Amino acid sequence: MVHVYNCHPFKSQQIVQVEQEPGLVCCGGGALFVVATGGCKVEVYNLEKEGCPLFCRFATMGTVKSIQHSKIGDYLVTIEEKNNATYLRAYTNWRYQAEEKGRVGVRLLGHLLGGASVWGGVQMEIIEIPMSERPIAVSCCPVTGDLLVGCEKTVVLFTLSRQNQQNLQNQSQQSVQNSLPNSQQSCNPSQGPTSVSHPNLSILDFERSVILHLPKMSLKQVALCGGYVAVNAELEVLVLKLEAASDPAAAEEPLETSKSAEPPQDQDDFLLIPRHQELLESKAKDCDILVTMEKTGLEDQAQYQFSYILFRRFSPEFFQGCRVEEMQIHSLQLYPLFTSNSLEDPTCVFCFFSLPTAGYLYSLKGGVELLSAYQYPEKVLQAVMSDHLLHVITKNALQCFTVRCSAVAARMEDPYIDTTMKACPPSTLEVCALRIQLFIGLRSVCVYNQRVILLSAADTETQQEPERSKLKENSVLTGIFLAVGIDPATTPALENLLSRPFLSRKWTISSPKETSTVGHGWNLYVVDTVHPFTLYQEMVEYSCRYVQTTPQSHSLRHLLSEAHLLLRACLLQTPEQKQSGQGDPAVSSKPGSNGAVDKNSATQANRQELEEALRQNSAQLGDCFSRASQKDCHLALPYYKMSGLTVAEVISRNRPPPEGPSSYGLGFLFYLKLHLLEETEQHLTQEEADEIIYIFSQSEPFLLVSVCASPCMINCSATRTLQILQRLEDTAGVSVPLTIIMAAMALRLGKQQDYTELMERHAEMQLVYGFIEEPRLLLHGGGGGGGGGGGGQHSQVHPTSLARQLANTQPGLLVAAMVALHENCKVQLEQADFVFKELGCENTLLVDFWEAMLMASSQDAVIQELLFRVASVYIDRLTNSINGSGAPKYKSLKGADDLITSCSHYGALYPWLTVLNPTHSTTSEHQEALHKLQSLLCGPSLSVGSIVPLLERLSGETLWGFSLHLLCATRRGQYESSIEQLLDRCPQAIIAYANHQLQDKYMTLWWQKLLPELCKRTRAAADNGILLGALKETLVVVAMETSPAEFLELIPDDGTASYFLPHLLTCSQRHLMA
């Protein structure tokens, strides 16, 4: 569907004073090139000056059949005919013909001129480009300046090269002096100073790079842009991508394409009509167009490979006013879009081509996509696109359509578009047609910046009277309305509109009126288009009609979206485009801004004006989407965010009218919900918060809990909110989150009894589930573990007043809720630590939280971190108890026995530890910390090596301190040293230690280490009953585990063998029985 808006894209027109009837026109580099019909002369007019005065003229070597200008290199390329032969020529340095007395050099491709041309460097050069086939079409790359030449079945790419004049002088100086010894005297004196003023002038040349053969296509047009090559036949378009080959061997292999079956010979009398076909990206290679690449034969030439990008085929169809034979593709164009962030490589590349009845615009870079299909109301002769408009000409009219280039470029530039932060109208948004301007006998059109150049040539007898022109004008408009499905006869307003002169806007004609009285049947017009910002302002003014009549109409939304894209186009313009007159009306409107500082300040002011307009437009689009359907209502959020409006301002824009229904739009409610879900430090006033609660109580009462829990709503009236919540509970029933938020409101009002009664309604685990459903009942700020890291993130997390109350009255519930929030990814570990520290519970509830996390968590990294933390705390508590500076008495939520029972990371205490642990010599807090630390060391998870440096703070002089060091040594496998230490400090525990630790692979330590140590020590202290008892117990174990021969070897030879004989006898009897 094509929308039609009566907006004015043109502001003035002027007629170029051309002496002879133009045959061909093109523009570029600030100039208009005019070739007279059948002539061999090119006239150049200055487009950047008022009146377009003649700049220069020069003769060509043949009759020009096609002419193109290249922005890169500033050269002209022509296809010329002379003596029934076709030539391809390039004209460089054409600007030096301004005086019409400059020299002209003629050379072949690749043969640089010597002599005066090298020394002077200011003459125009004509480069003859030999072709093996007759050239049909040419195209210059706007990115690199390369030249693409299309023949009937072949496409040849010439790369633009530059030779530095200074190098050429050095290379040819000797030959010039020998061949022309008096050249300096014979040269024109006027050229002498020029040679000094142009020491680094580059001389252009071309190198034949790639030859592509397309035997199944009869080429009509070609286009080149940034490595993309587009060609078209009568009803086919093919786009290829040329790239430098990373593997030279791969470049030599032709792509496999499906070949259509040749028609049988007996069907030659039948006409085969091709069917419609569209193939994009990887599927494009399945077309039946075979492309082969030919080497140029130059060894130093870069190797290329190509890929299929787009293929489109049409079938000939009948169209009113257009014969089937006229249904041919024209106006093929590859259009690059540069932005301020990509001045060398285009951000986007678009492909446009047109039939007489419809035009098609594709985006090629970053994925091939059909952006727009333009349906024309009458037969179109030619079309050309710019950054924000598509200009098409019919026989008697110039019409403008909008394009979607800025929508694609904005998404390439800003990754946050199409998120909850930013939005932009889709690139596939329906296009609109702006007002038309009538002319007589239009033949061609071209565009330079904001100027449209039109060539008209009509017979004198076809000139119409004013009344007839008005009828023609209304006929054209009627056709446009019918083409988009609108019958003016059924709408009185449209009939009234068509009854008046539609094109009533006055135009500024810069040329003298006498020009139109010459009597010739041709004219060359230069039409100035308005700045996109001016067109935006007119669209906004135009939209006011819809706001007053149908504020929720699709046309209003579409018109504001069109205006938005115009602003995007302005903001994406490059500095070069702004300087060339495509942007910054503020700069051009200030006559005194001569310096760079003034221009920069004016540009800055204009950009601020554009950004302010974008904010206003975003607010208007937000208003449109705030009451949109469920499909599009979510767009209200990003547009309102882009507008910079406060919540209060958005609410005021969405209040229902007093006389209308008191309902709120889905988009507005979506905006409020997402805004309240965000963790922001902006607090609403009481009036704003109360109004939001009222809005949700009327529209979506089931969201009241989430709304009231938002940190933005902290200033809401607790009394009024509690009444609304109580009514919700009466209608919707009791729920745990609703009960908790009601308790929080009662707490704010100081109603402690009501708070207690509400919290006692549900069991503790049900309350935990309620906190999981709405974490903001406990936390404000970082919430669900938002992005970022470091202290900045932790400082954004704060406990609510309800969390502070729970810390004082129900610490177990608070700890359980925080553990549940962490396990459900609602809060991070560091955030939870910060919450407990802010509550002043870093030495109490925080440790209980860590212990509870060890019971609940299954993440290895978290477990190791928590084990180290709790072990450090236990060591600190033991150290402080020794120094007498312990923390205030606090009973932990879980004792050592509870942790051993419920947590696998806490192990049961080894039996030998009961001998080393004191019973009445320490406080209960000390005893609990000791048992928890010993239990961790007895467990399977704690990495002992990580806490050994911390244990150095604890002295081993006490038995409980010695037990910790002994546990660490045992966990690290240091059994021999542990046996020696234990025999020195507490021998009564040695047998219990050996029975528990010296098992399995360590059983041999009974007789290899323990028995010799006991024998040695009993000799020194024969009356030590503890050692003797330990020796007896050891011999019993050794007799059970060794053979008689092994036992004999263990008996010492110091004359005490009689003491070992009973045990030897036992060992022998056991061995015999076995």
Side-chain angles (χ1 to χ4, degrees), residues 923-945:
T923 62
S924 58
E925 291 79 10
H926 179 277
Q927 195 76 12
E928 180 179 299
L930 176 63
H931 286 175
K932 287 183 178 180
L933 183 57
Q934 288 176 339
S935 178
L936 276 182
L937 292 171
C938 295
S941 304
L942 179 64
S943 176
V944 177

Side-chain angles (χ1 to χ4, degrees), residues 722-893:
L722 187 58
Q723 293 174 353
I724 294 175
L725 293 175
Q726 287 173 345
R727 288 197 298 268
L728 175 63
E729 186 182 55
D730 295 338
T731 56
V734 178
S735 68
V736 176
L738 180 58
T739 300
I740 297 175
I741 195 64
M742 290 174 63
M745 293 299 165
L747 186 64
R748 284 183 55 186
L749 293 172
K751 298 180 179 180
Q752 190 67 37
Q753 184 177 356
D754 293 344
Y755 163 80
T756 304
E757 292 177 355
L758 288 168
M759 293 297 288
E760 290 178 352
R761 281 186 181 181
H762 307 283
E764 184 174 290
M765 282 309 300
Q766 289 180 316
L767 294 175
V768 170
Y769 289 134
F771 290 124
I772 295 175
E773 187 175 344
E774 185 47 72
R776 293 181 300 172
L777 293 170
L778 287 179
L779 304 177
H780 281 171
Q793 179 186 4
H794 307 155
S795 62
Q796 296 177 359
V797 185
H798 306 282
T800 63
S801 58
L802 178 60
R804 298 182 183 277
Q805 178 69 16
L806 293 178
N808 296 326
T809 59
Q810 294 176 278
L813 175 58
L814 177 61
V815 170
M818 294 299 294
V819 171
L821 292 179
H822 180 275
E823 291 306 296
N824 286 273
C825 302
K826 304 291 186 179
V827 68
Q828 295 180 355
L829 182 62
E830 290 78 9
Q831 291 175 324
D833 295 347
F834 186 84
V835 168
F836 283 108
K837 289 177 182 178
E838 194 165 291
L839 290 172
C841 305
E842 59 269 21
N843 294 321
T844 54
L845 285 182
L846 179 58
V847 182
D848 292 331
F849 169 71
W850 291 342
E851 293 173 347
M853 282 292 300
L854 285 174
M855 291 186 286
S857 180
S858 59
Q859 305 175 31
D860 292 338
V862 174
I863 290 173
Q864 290 301 321
E865 173 68 19
L866 291 174
L867 288 172
F868 179 78
R869 290 184 183 184
V870 295
S872 302
V873 170
Y874 299 153
I875 293 173
D876 288 340
R877 289 178 177 178
L878 292 174
T879 304
N880 294 333
S881 66
I882 296 173
N883 300 331
S885 58
K889 292 184 179 181
Y890 170 77
K891 182 175 177 57
S892 299
L893 296 178

Side-chain angles (χ1 to χ4, degrees), residues 513-520:
K513 282 290 184 180
E514 300 83 59
T515 306
S516 60
T517 63
V518 174
H520 54 69

Side-chain angles (χ1 to χ4, degrees), residues 418-436:
D418 297 328
T419 65
T420 58
M421 301 299 297
K422 295 181 181 180
C424 180
S427 56
T428 56
L429 181 72
E430 298 169 344
V431 297
C432 75
L434 305 179
R435 63 161 289 175
I436 64 174

Side-chain angles (χ1 to χ4, degrees), residues 48 90 180 190 203 205 218 242 383 578 646 674 770 891 951 1032:
E48 296 180 346
L180 297 172
S190 63
I203 298 177
D205 199 16
S218 297
L242 277 178
K578 295 175 181 178
T646 63
L674 269 293
K891 182 175 177 57
L951 284 174
K1032 290 180 181 180

